[in-house]
Amino acid sequence: MKKLAHILVLLAACLVLAAPAAAQLDEWAMPAATTWEGHAPELVWAWSAEHGTLRPSYGGPAGSESRATEATVIRNGRVATVPAGQPSVSNQYGGQTRLEIQPARTNEFSENGDLFNAPWSHSHVTVAQDGTIAPDGSATAWLATVDDDAGSRALKYTGAITAEEDRYTLSIWVQAAASDNLMFGLYQGGFVAATGKIISGPGAIAGSSLQEVTGLSTTQWTHIVVTTDGNCFVADLGSYFYPGGVAAGGAGNAVYFWRPQLEKGTVATATIFCDGAPTSRAASHPSFLLPRPLKNIASVEEPNPTPVLTQSAGDIVLATVAGGGIAMPDEGSPVDLSPYAGGGYVLKVTDGGGKTAWARIASAGSGETQGSELVSNGGFDSGTTGWAVTNNGLLSSVAGGQSGNCLQIEEGGGTNPYAYQSPAGVAGWLYRYSIYVKQGTESTYRYGIYGDGYNDFYSDDQEADGTWTQHSAVFTGSDTTPSPLLYQIAASGTGTTILFDTVSLKQVTAPPTTGVWLESTPGAADGTWSHIDSGFNANAIATWSVIPANQWRADGMLLVEGWVPAWNAVDDSRTGMIIIGVSGYLLYLHGAAEEVRSYDNTNIVYVGLLWESGTSYDLAVRWSSRTNQLQVGCKLSSASSWSWGPVGAFDGTFLLGDTLHLGATQNYAPHQMARVRFFNAWLSDSQLAWMDSLKEWVACADDYFPARAVAGM
């Protein structure tokens, strides 16, 4: 086994789920050793939440957050504000840093910073600020003190609520002052049936409508919440807070309050500041641009494949642009690729710098076709319009061309004058370039293309004679302006001439019968390469091979660690935990049954985990082209064994967009995660097996999550 340099991890639409044969399942068993032939599984990309950024800890570029509004998170025990466009990185759970995925929500209160003035009212309660530090570290806490024993002694919201009928959640931060208890709830002609909960901090809560909170601390804030059991018409929905409770004799009871929040739905989310109007927080949309080895097909070849055809020189030319990928013989080459068409073979190409590209060979060409002419005035019947000259050359349109007039280049006081123009093209297109040339008073010439330097095509010195001779070349465009060059090779001061005519540059839009179309995955017929190394030079091919597709394998795993859901079974909430490109979910979370499932926009299959909010879990997807299997798995982060779902069919390839998106797909499910890792492992046929404990799969260079020793885990 050899360690891989390139991998794919690609997923978009899989999971045609079926019960596997017992013999196949045996190959998923955990091996006795942690390495195979001296090599551990290879970590190819990893992200971890740290320092409030989305910088990968290993192997790739940074991520981004497109949330359009500010948000709040818990950091070091305080509510911290996160500006728009920055990730919500929190350490609320056990101090471990995690990325928090927050849904879009609106705080329906028009004001939650000022609890003294309207729309807040006080019945037999005095509300004031005394400098006590609030959960965000500011001196903005509000002390509500009961004045006397008469009437309803409450702090209440009396402003209009404009949201639609639905279930609602009321939350607020509280801290003990002269009393360590309070009662609160939602009121609509009577207190609404609801369920209370403490999100964080000391205390206990009980009640079926009006909730009683006891055991508050004078030194620590408690975040309390109540959710209606059914839908409410909210136009006259009131929010009531009773310091010390509702029992008689409560004069002097006092509790601190901070930033109440009323939101649609059944889950309390992070605090939203409202200062004069109901305020909305946009949904989190963290994403990562995956490194090139993880894009496209990312499957890689088996060690020591057996090519059916290998060439040590160029002999072929390529179109590398997405949607137009073809391979065909170079000008004058006897190569015929058509016998390998049909999807059973992979074309692998290596340039002179060791950069590689590969794709499956799809259908054979039916005859070379070309696009429209890109050269302007290539017949020189409009004088020399459209052409420029360098090195003091003199251009003129003269009679006696291959067809009509022709271009004469005269040396006019500089060495090697040349004519050129710069038509618009596309990098990655395959072009056919042709010229006619004839001797004037000088016979030595060159012709070429200038793109990203002189790398596209550039001839050696050639000798013309007294007859018109055509030359043709095919090349891959390296730039958006493939510029034809026509040289006279002459010393300065000689005054010699040479003639060119019928200059043509066209895109090759379809291959000849000896060429082939390429595809990124089996049956895709998409004209797109599976993989191209950054910096690959299609005009400097050193070697290429045709390899049977069944030797092109992919084995690997995507692992999400430290996922903390913030909700239990509520409604029919659905969340795509990880979304690959735009094709669908990789992991599917179902709130009503607290289940982790697999989902591919068609099939939904239960995996095996019933979760609880505030608890840390690990989630995974593993695949192998050796067994043609794919599975989704999950476990408690503290556990050593996994629950794996039904085995899905896997054909050896994945589709993957440029970006890995992490987050909620609907507005029901805030959650957090600590890190994401991609692994690749190559095993021999006899040794292929999957770990049922990933604790030994920790070969990573991660500054913030250092590799753990296997022993004693």
Side-chain angles (χ1 to χ4, degrees), residues 237-376:
L237 187 64
S239 302
Y240 284 72
F241 302 92
Y242 298 90
V246 296
N253 285 339
V255 173
Y256 287 104
F257 295 94
W258 187 73
R259 294 285 183 179
Q261 181 159 309
L262 180 67
E263 55 193 308
K264 179 181 174 181
T266 58
V267 177
T269 65
T271 302
I272 301 172
F273 293 177
C274 298
D275 298 301
T279 302
S280 298
R281 177 192 60 238
S284 299
H285 291 292
S287 62
F288 300 90
L289 183 65
L290 298 178
R292 179 168 293 275
L294 300 177
K295 292 182 187 178
N296 306 321
I297 186 173
S299 56
V300 287
E301 66 185 89
E302 183 178 16
N304 303 314
T306 305
V308 296
L309 177 64
T310 297
Q311 296 282 4
S312 59
D315 292 336
I316 61 171
V317 288
L318 315 171
T320 58
V321 66
I326 60 178
M328 58 183 273
D330 198 355
E331 188 74 6
S333 168
V335 167
D336 185 357
L337 295 172
S338 63
Y340 310 104
Y345 295 90
V346 171
L347 175 66
K348 178 183 177 182
V349 185
T350 304
D351 70 10
K355 304 287 187 179
T356 60
W358 63 77
R360 287 184 181 255
I361 299 174
S363 58
S366 56
E368 181 177 328
T369 61
Q370 299 166 3
S372 59
E373 181 61 65
L374 301 176
V375 170
S376 172

Side-chain angles (χ1 to χ4, degrees), residues 124-125 145-153 178-179 181 242-254:
H124 302 277
V125 170
T145 305
V146 176
D147 296 331
D148 52 53
D149 297 338
S152 175
R153 305 174 300 280
S179 52
N181 65 306
Y242 298 90
V246 296
N253 285 339

Side-chain angles (χ1 to χ4, degrees), residues 449-458 475-478 537-540:
I449 295 288
Y450 186 89
D452 183 14
Y454 295 94
N455 299 316
D456 292 5
F457 169 75
Y458 195 68
F475 66 92
T476 308
S478 62
N537 186 354
N539 293 307

Side-chain angles (χ1 to χ4, degrees), residues 372-555:
S372 59
E373 181 61 65
L374 301 176
V375 170
S376 172
N377 189 27
F380 307 100
D381 293 323
S382 298
T384 60
T385 300
W387 291 89
V389 69
T390 66
N391 299 344
N392 297 319
L394 303 174
L395 302 184
S396 58
S397 176
V398 300
Q402 184 268 335
S403 175
N405 282 4
C406 64
L407 175 68
Q408 176 180 279
I409 303 177
E410 180 181 353
E411 187 280 319
T415 302
N416 301 339
Y418 66 90
Y420 70 95
Q421 63 175 252
S422 300
V426 173
W429 274 4
L430 185 63
Y431 294 92
R432 182 169 289 280
Y433 173 42
S434 65
I435 65 164
Y436 280 83
V437 63
K438 181 180 176 182
Q439 179 180 1
T441 59
E442 171 62 61
S443 62
T444 308
Y445 69 95
R446 295 178 193 169
Y447 67 108
I449 295 288
Y450 186 89
D452 183 14
Y454 295 94
N455 299 316
D456 292 5
F457 169 75
Y458 195 68
S459 75
D460 296 327
D461 286 357
Q462 307 284 319
E463 296 296 323
D465 57 25
T467 60
W468 284 105
T469 303
Q470 185 183 31
H471 295 281
S472 182
V474 281
F475 66 92
T476 308
S478 62
D479 194 51
T480 56
T481 54
S483 301
L485 309 178
L486 307 173
Y487 278 85
Q488 182 195 175
I489 304 302
S492 176
T494 58
T496 54
T497 63
I498 199 162
L499 306 175
F500 292 95
D501 200 5
T502 317
V503 180
S504 175
L505 179 67
K506 297 180 179 181
Q507 180 196 5
V508 177
T509 56
T513 56
T514 53
V516 291
W517 288 98
L518 302 172
E519 62 184 10
S520 59
T521 58
D526 55 7
T528 299
W529 287 76
S530 304
H531 172 82
I532 301 177
D533 275 349
S534 177
F536 174 77
N537 186 354
N539 293 307
I541 296 173
T543 62
W544 57 274
S545 302
V546 175
I547 301 169
N550 59 12
Q551 296 185 26
W552 212 259
R553 309 285 187 150
D555 300 327

Side-chain angles (χ1 to χ4, degrees), residues 103-123:
R105 287 293 170 83
T106 298
N107 189 342
E108 304 296 343
F109 291 143
S110 61
E111 177 65 57
N112 72 348
D114 180 359
L115 304 185
F116 180 81
N117 295 301
W120 291 91
S121 66
H122 329 114
S123 175

